[in-house]
Amino acid sequence: MKNFVLPILVAFMLFGCKKDEKTNNSYTSSFEVRLTDIPGDYDQVNIDLQGISAHHVPDNGSAAWINIPTNVGIYDLLKLQNGIDTAVVDSMII
């Protein structure tokens, strides 16, 4: 089981978040999550991605978990190796 966890953790390591511009007295941030995998000795590794949530803490301190629009579906991680990745989230957060 431990050998299966490593590719999943690596798969979610590629993400980015940056502040962009101020609108209506609040900042919007772009948020991107890309899915990839490292080569491994597996016959098949599929994940069923149902959604992604982020813990958002705006300047006013009212922290909350928010659901991020996600490209849900079944992803074959063996097709996402050797520099190949896919975007599962590309969104703006306020």
Side-chain angles (χ1 to χ4, degrees):
M1 182 68 179
K2 289 181 183 179
N3 291 336
F4 180 71
V5 174
L6 180 60
I8 298 301
L9 291 176
V10 171
F12 287 103
M13 288 180 66
L14 293 176
F15 69 92
C17 185
K18 67 173 186 165
K19 279 192 175 180
D20 285 335
E21 59 186 57
K22 191 170 185 176
T23 57
N24 299 332
N25 294 327
S26 64
Y27 286 96
T28 60
S29 299
S30 63
F31 184 76
E32 181 178 34
V33 177
R34 301 189 70 78
L35 187 62
T36 190
D37 192 16
I38 59 173
D41 188 23
Y42 305 102
D43 294 328
Q44 190 175 37
V45 180
N46 293 308
I47 62 166
D48 186 359
L49 183 62
Q50 296 294 310
I52 295 177
S53 297
H55 191 245
H56 183 58
V57 183
D59 290 338
N60 66 10
S62 61
W65 283 95
I66 58 173
N67 293 321
I68 308 295
T70 305
N71 296 326
V72 298
I74 297 174
Y75 292 88
D76 181 356
L77 295 183
L78 297 183
K79 292 182 180 177
L80 300 173
Q81 296 178 350
N82 300 318
I84 299 172
D85 61 22
T86 188
V88 293
V89 171
D90 190 4
S91 183
M92 297 297 287
I93 299 174
I94 296 176

